[in-house]
Amino acid sequence: MSPGGQGTGPLPWRRLLVVFVLSALAMAFFRLPYWVVDNFGDVSMEQVLFHATLDDVSSVPTGLMRSTAREFVLKPLLWALLVTAVAVGLHRWRPGRRHALGLGVLAAVALVVPATRHTAQALNLRDYFQPAASGDWMAEHYVRPLPALATRLAREPRNLVLIYVESLQRARVRPGSLLDRWRDGQLSAERFITLPGTQWTLGGMVASQCALPLMPLGLAGKNNFDDVGRPLADAICLGDLLKAAGYQTAFVGGADPAFSGKAGFLRAHGFDEVRGREDIAAASPGYRWPDGWWGADDHQTLAFAEQVVDRLAADPQPFFLNLLTLDTHGPSGMPPMPCPSALAPPLAGGKPDPMDAIFDCSLAAVERFLTHLERRGLLERSVVVVMGDHPLMAPGWRRQHGQTSDDASQDVFFVLHAPGQPAQRLAMMGHFDVLPLVVNALSARPGDATPAAPALGLGRAGPHQPLVQALGPQAWASRLRARSAAYAELWRDPSEPAGAQP
């Protein structure tokens, strides 16, 4: 025995390996909620389950990949090495030898306990696991769009331009801006509530075009668009209706349309043309989207969209052009190159928020595109919708209220322009109500006695009160999180035998 009671026996490698692995896993779990919040902001379990089975990561930004490697590989390894080194020191100190393994367990518990609480907050688990209301919400409330509706849409057709501005909330639109004037002079909403299954981009797109939430099928999800041949195969969405009515259909977005199966969904539901970052870069020689970002900046994307809309408008067929911006993606956005030279005054009169300038930049590009439509005379024969795809998923732990709340600051921006339409402000609506409102605007003519489609999917328009208003946001959210056999059936291709799994 060496002086001071030091032991020189062989190191217990198996125990030390247990300490190393346990410490690494505990640190990875500890970093999970911070990684979620730092990269995605405030998320929902529906969003997590949708992306959990993501197959193709080639379109994921390199910045996100680096963050993932840093949080789940580098930091856990460094922590595990530190704890294991201390355990080795304890082993060589004879009185502490039997406590070496206990150190690893104690270190893991010290991380797992707060990590569990923070993960529950970051993923909004309290909202997700609240008791769901009874009954099949889909069977009770869903109104299937009829094929005859396409015939009506084909009579004296109007073009449709539907613009999703990433994470745009009402509070982000500056007073006196073009969009603010549109909101006062067109059809808009006093309240636009976000419900389960609509809280992220694809959820918001599906909800507004199909009047359906993007809900998980069972505990494991099974609804990722990469994993199904034809997403929501038996649903009839806006693209399906307009394609059947003889419309040209095109989508332009700054990101890679392949991400999470977005292109597959669009092509399965009526879109002939799906354009993304590679097409935008190819149309502008020498251009490359910002390093580490999802795709092309909004100014470049909407300049490309001007070329697309000019080409579509040159054809005698009506067209449906769907646009999706990117720069304001939460939690911290990406400032594009042609940004304003100075940060505009804070929207709420408080401290300057870097996202204010990014939103100002993005909305300037959107307004330039709307001005292009006006200059080409397209506003006189087109329905134009500008809306947020969902609220900004801002960083930080979830506030005390649930994700479906009556906090007006979280309301999505929505405005619908239609030729000859008087100004109208709806008291309350949600994503599902966009489909019947758009169909009404496309088919309604002066002198029409009744709306063309007062109810489509889960959406309501005209004399029918939106379900989010009739049932209340919290009650409607609770119902949507209940299992629905009728909803699961929409994922089964009609050509498949009844009872087949989606």
Side-chain angles (χ1 to χ4, degrees):
M1 181 180 297
S2 59
Q6 300 296 322
T8 58
L11 293 174
W13 293 112
R14 289 185 180 179
R15 288 191 176 188
L16 292 175
L17 180 60
V18 170
V19 170
F20 182 87
V21 172
L22 193 63
S23 300
L25 292 176
M27 176 54 76
F29 182 45
F30 181 77
R31 295 307 305 170
L32 172 63
Y34 295 94
W35 175 82
V36 169
V37 168
D38 289 345
N39 289 282
F40 303 102
D42 191 21
V43 301
S44 67
M45 272 302 293
E46 287 86 6
Q47 179 181 355
V48 171
L49 291 172
F50 179 79
H51 292 94
T53 56
L54 183 66
D55 296 327
D56 183 9
V57 297
S58 60
S59 56
V60 174
T62 55
L64 178 57
M65 298 295 285
R66 288 192 296 266
S67 170
T68 303
R70 182 176 62 250
E71 297 296 333
F72 298 123
V73 179
L74 181 59
K75 289 184 178 179
L77 286 179
L78 291 175
W79 174 253
L81 287 171
L82 175 62
V83 174
T84 304
V86 174
V88 169
L90 277 177
H91 175 80
R92 293 196 178 279
W93 179 49
R94 189 178 185 88
R97 180 176 298 181
R98 60 181 176 178
H99 300 299
L101 181 58
L103 170 69
V105 174
L106 181 63
V109 170
L111 292 178
V112 168
V113 171
T116 301
R117 178 167 57 88
H118 291 160
T119 299
Q121 291 175 306
L123 302 183
N124 289 284
L125 292 180
R126 185 180 65 176
D127 288 351
Y128 185 72
F129 286 110
Q130 282 185 348
S134 60
D136 190 322
W137 50 268
M138 180 77 181
E140 183 177 347
H141 297 292
Y142 184 73
V143 177
R144 187 172 181 84
L146 299 175
L149 191 55
T151 304
R152 175 162 183 158
L153 289 168
R155 297 200 304 262
E156 302 180 42
R158 291 171 167 174
N159 304 313
L160 172 63
V161 178
L162 172 54
I163 305 173
Y164 296 110
V165 180
E166 174 67 47
S167 305
L168 182 61
Q169 297 163 193
R170 288 183 58 204
R172 292 287 179 178
V173 175
R174 291 191 177 276
S177 65
L178 174 60
L179 284 176
D180 184 56
R181 296 196 300 273
W182 269 40
R183 179 170 54 190
D184 289 339
Q186 306 292 334
L187 189 152
S188 62
E190 187 68 33
R191 299 295 312 277
F192 192 115
I193 305 294
T194 303
L195 292 161
T198 72
Q199 307 107 314
W200 70 103
T201 295
L202 269 173
M205 290 178 65
V206 169
S208 54
Q209 295 191 30
C210 308
L212 288 165
L214 190 47
M215 302 300 286
L217 302 175
L219 294 176
K222 298 183 181 179
N223 65 339
N224 189 295
F225 290 168
D226 282 335
D227 297 334
V228 292
R230 189 170 183 268
L232 285 165
D234 199 33
I236 297 177
C237 303
L238 183 58
D240 299 314
L241 288 170
L242 296 185
K243 180 65 179 174
Y247 278 63
Q248 307 170 80
T249 51
F251 170 86
V252 176
D256 184 350
F259 179 73
S260 292
K262 184 194 305 173
F265 164 75
L266 292 168
R267 292 193 175 103
H269 288 283
F271 283 83
D272 294 324
E273 185 178 343
V274 179
R275 304 291 185 183
R277 62 187 188 184
E278 300 288 352
D279 305 285
I280 296 167
S284 305
Y287 174 78
R288 190 66 181 173
W289 55 85
D291 181 51
W293 188 235
W294 293 92
D297 68 80
D298 292 348
H299 283 261
Q300 198 73 30
T301 297
L302 288 163
F304 178 80
E306 290 180 8
Q307 302 173 30
V308 174
V309 78
D310 288 348
R311 173 171 51 80
L312 294 172
D315 194 288
Q317 284 182 280
F319 64 82
F320 170 25
L321 176 60
N322 184 193
L323 306 179
L324 173 62
T325 69
L326 187 58
D327 289 349
T328 49
H329 192 289
S332 54
M334 171 61 73
M337 293 303 293
C339 255
S341 57
L343 183 65
L347 281 167
K351 295 180 179 179
D353 180 357
M355 284 297 287
D356 287 347
I358 301 174
F359 270 100
D360 286 344
C361 237
S362 179
L363 293 180
V366 172
E367 292 180 348
R368 185 190 67 189
F369 179 80
L370 296 177
T371 301
H372 178 79
L373 296 181
E374 183 177 28
R375 189 166 52 246
R376 289 290 314 275
L378 291 172
L379 291 184
E380 301 168 3
R381 48 195 174 98
S382 304
V383 172
V384 180
V385 177
V386 182
M387 62 178 290
D389 52 353
H390 55 76
L392 178 65
M393 292 181 281
W397 301 118
R398 188 67 194 161
R399 293 185 296 275
Q400 291 301 310
H401 60 67
Q403 205 164 48
T404 303
S405 73
D406 290 330
D407 182 0
S409 69
Q410 299 298 305
D411 283 4
V412 170
F413 177 86
F414 174 84
V415 64
L416 185 152
H417 156 88
Q421 171 184 265
Q424 183 180 1
R425 182 71 60 88
L426 303 177
M428 184 179 291
M429 66 176 290
H431 287 83
F432 308 144
D433 306 308
V434 174
L435 176 61
L437 287 172
V438 167
V439 169
N440 279 344
L442 288 171
S443 57
R445 295 295 180 269
D448 283 355
T450 58
L456 289 177
L458 299 177
R460 303 293 185 264
H464 291 262
Q465 194 176 55
L467 293 172
V468 67
Q469 185 175 359
L471 301 177
Q474 296 291 352
W476 190 208
S478 177
R479 296 213 66 185
L480 291 172
R481 285 192 164 117
R483 184 182 180 278
S484 168
Y487 176 74
E489 275 296 297
L490 283 183
W491 290 82
R492 184 178 61 84
D493 195 298
S495 64
E496 296 177 357
Q501 294 297 316

